[in-house]
């Protein structure tokens, strides 16, 4: 059962949703912020079914992307170009609606079902706060538009907006999953000269070439050298930009070590397990002059920047078709989990009524 929207909320009929590895991470998680029963899913597109009081920017029938990151448009962070992290409605791994600290989902017995990332798109209907809703052009194919709710925004945004990759530069991507491939797309858009992919699966290189990756390192074949030593040798001292897209503290450290002294930037995109810690030498931090930063949602402001990214897609500047390797019906959602966990798909789109 999905309750009607409260003030400042929107109830959405989901058209389709795609499976992100973050859904699998939290499905498997057994320690807080894990909680059950929870409706997962956060990368989707849908149609507004009804709106609560004080909602003016969308109306029933509008096609929208629900986003896990808010943009209130009022706080100091939302009014600044320097951040996409709303302070009025901050990002949380939260089981409730952001304003009211309660759920809009119950089972047939009236028991509460918890929300996930303020979206919960593995449901025919969901309720989302208006600050997490972006209206889009209904002509955009929904099985492409949904990818902009996480994958495309995170990867392309990290390369173009957070790193601000310069033309002719060298980029190294640690982890060639969907986020890493989206980073490659963004780096290519920025004019990077060399895009080096790092992964434990050599089969991914042939796939990654289609996304702009030019060279490949199998991290299992480094011999007696560390991964960062191999990168430095390949790049003549280190990469201009390194992106960690796996979610391993040890790999963040390797990525940071792989950056060139003086100007190298390391951008962290992988979802770390709770309690993960980094161990960096303060001497190196001081003397190397390198930058280490996170990039939640690729530094993209949901309402301000997503329309610009979508326009790059509709203008054929940004190609995303190759991300969708499989499509299934909602009743076959477990097949999507099997495909992604088995490394057999990039993105699997799950249709609600197709």
């Amino acid at each position: 059962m999905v309750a009607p929207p409260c003030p400042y909320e929107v109830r959405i009929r989901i058209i389709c949703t795609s499976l992100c590895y973050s859904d699998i991470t939290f499905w498997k998680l057994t320690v807080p912020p894990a909680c059950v029963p929870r409706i997962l899913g956060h990368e989707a597109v849908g149609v507004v079914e009804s709106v609560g009081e004080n909602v003016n920017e969308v109306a029933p029938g509008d096609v929208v992307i629900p986003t896990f990151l808010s943009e209130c448009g009022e706080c100091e962070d939302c009014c600044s170009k320097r951040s996409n992290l709303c302070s009025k409605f901050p990002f949380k791994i939260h089981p409730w609606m952001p304003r009211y600290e309660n759920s809009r989902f119950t089972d047939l017995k009236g028991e509460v079902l918890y929300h996930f990332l303020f979206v919960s798109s593995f449901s025919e209907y969901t309720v989302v706060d208006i600050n997490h809703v972006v209206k889009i052009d209904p002509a955009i194919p929904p099985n492409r538009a949904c990818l902009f709710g996480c994958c495309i925004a995170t990867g392309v945004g990290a390369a173009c907006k957070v790193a601000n990759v310069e033309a002719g530069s060298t980029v190294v991507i640690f982890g060639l999953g969907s986020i890493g491939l989206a980073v490659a797309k963004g780096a290519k858009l920025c004019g990077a000269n060399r895009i080096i992919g790092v992964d434990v699966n050599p089969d991914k290189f042939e796939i990654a070439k289609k996304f702009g990756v030019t060279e490949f390192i199998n991290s299992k074949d480094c011999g007696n050298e560390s991964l960062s030593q191999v990168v430095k040798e390949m790049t003549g001292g280190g990469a201009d930009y390194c992106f960690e897209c796996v979610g391993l503290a040890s790999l963040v450290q390797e990525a940071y070590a792989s950056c060139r002294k003086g100007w190298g930037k390391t951008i962290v995109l992988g979802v770390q397990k709770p309690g993960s810690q980094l161990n960096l030498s303060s001497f190196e931090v001081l003397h190397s002059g390198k930058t280490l930063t996170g990039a939640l949602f690729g530094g993209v402001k949901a309402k301000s920047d997503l329309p610009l990214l979508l326009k790059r897609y509709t203008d054929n500047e940004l190609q995303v078709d190759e991300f969708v390797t499989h499509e299934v019906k909602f009743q076959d959602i477990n097949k999507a989990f099997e495909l992604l966990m088995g490394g057999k798909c990039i993105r699997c789109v799950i249709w609600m009524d197709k």
Side-chain angles (χ1 to χ4, degrees):
M1 305 298 292
V2 184
C6 289
Y8 301 101
E9 293 178 353
V10 178
R11 187 159 63 182
I12 300 168
R13 176 177 63 82
I14 297 295
I15 300 172
C16 63
T17 179
S18 51
L19 178 61
C20 172
Y21 212 93
S22 295
D23 296 306
I24 293 175
T25 298
F26 283 94
W27 169 56
K28 290 183 174 182
L29 200 63
T30 58
V31 297
C35 61
V36 292
R38 173 180 252 169
I39 298 177
L40 297 171
H42 65 282
E43 194 175 83
V45 66
V47 176
V48 175
E49 179 269 338
S50 58
V51 300
E53 296 177 16
N54 306 315
V55 173
N56 302 309
E57 62 183 271
V58 297
D62 287 341
V63 178
V64 296
I65 293 175
T67 62
F68 64 83
L69 213 59
S70 65
E71 185 182 349
C72 73
E74 300 172 353
C75 72
E76 183 177 353
D77 294 284
C78 286
C79 292
S80 169
K81 293 181 179 180
R82 295 179 292 179
S83 173
N84 70 332
L85 304 176
C86 177
S87 52
K88 189 174 181 180
F89 297 95
F91 173 78
K92 303 176 186 176
I93 311 297
H94 201 49
W96 310 118
M97 297 296 296
R99 289 176 198 261
Y100 303 104
E101 300 283 311
N102 53 21
S103 176
R104 299 293 167 267
F105 300 119
T106 53
D107 64 16
L108 295 182
K109 296 179 181 178
E111 299 293 327
V112 169
L113 303 174
Y114 298 114
H115 291 254
F116 179 61
L117 296 184
F118 305 122
V119 175
S120 290
S121 58
F122 294 164
S123 169
E124 292 178 276
Y125 289 86
T126 188
V127 178
V128 181
D129 192 277
I130 186 58
N131 288 321
H132 292 261
V133 175
V134 179
K135 182 179 176 180
I136 67 167
D137 183 349
I140 300 174
N143 58 344
R144 302 296 184 263
C146 64
L147 303 181
F148 288 79
C150 180
C151 172
I152 302 300
T154 299
V156 175
C160 297
K161 192 167 184 184
V162 177
N164 194 19
V165 171
E166 294 179 334
S169 59
T170 297
V171 170
V172 180
I173 302 168
F174 295 79
L176 293 176
S178 55
I179 299 298
L181 296 175
V183 170
K185 281 279 187 182
K188 188 177 180 181
L189 279 176
C190 293
N193 184 42
R194 298 175 69 187
I195 303 175
I196 303 169
V198 180
D199 206 284
V200 296
N201 183 356
D203 294 338
K204 288 188 177 181
F205 183 37
E206 285 304 314
I207 297 170
K209 286 179 181 178
K210 300 176 184 177
F211 294 80
V213 174
T214 58
E215 299 159 71
F216 180 76
I217 300 173
N218 184 339
S219 52
K220 286 184 176 180
D221 294 338
C222 294
N224 295 324
E225 293 185 307
S226 67
L227 183 53
S228 57
Q229 286 175 315
V230 172
V231 171
K232 286 179 179 178
E233 289 171 5
M234 284 183 67
T235 58
D240 301 305
Y241 306 94
C242 290
F243 296 84
E244 199 283 339
C245 305
V246 177
L248 293 174
S250 59
L251 203 55
V252 173
Q253 289 162 200
E254 282 294 306
Y256 183 75
S258 299
C259 272
R260 188 172 190 88
K261 68 180 189 300
W263 66 71
K265 290 183 181 179
T266 297
I267 296 89
V268 178
L269 300 174
V271 177
Q272 302 276 318
K273 292 182 179 179
S276 295
Q277 299 289 320
L278 294 176
N279 183 16
L280 296 175
S281 161
S282 60
F283 180 91
E284 184 186 3
V285 170
L286 173 63
H287 289 78
S288 67
K290 298 184 288 190
T291 300
L292 173 65
T293 185
L296 189 62
F297 202 47
V300 167
K301 287 179 179 284
K303 295 177 186 288
S304 302
D305 295 334
L306 272 189
L308 301 178
L309 273 178
L310 286 161
K311 187 175 188 305
R312 298 184 86 167
Y313 166 69
T314 56
D315 288 347
N316 294 316
E317 183 184 353
L318 173 61
Q319 304 294 326
V320 302
D321 291 355
E322 53 265 47
F323 283 90
V324 180
T325 54
H326 296 78
E327 302 189 38
V328 299
K329 298 178 181 179
F330 186 49
Q331 55 263 44
D332 298 321
I333 189 171
N334 284 352
K335 178 66 182 284
F337 274 75
E338 291 168 7
L339 286 166
L340 189 54
M341 287 190 294
K344 297 177 181 177
C345 77
I346 299 174
R347 273 295 191 263
C348 182
V349 171
I350 301 156
W351 291 91
M352 286 296 168
D353 59 359
K354 187 173 182 179

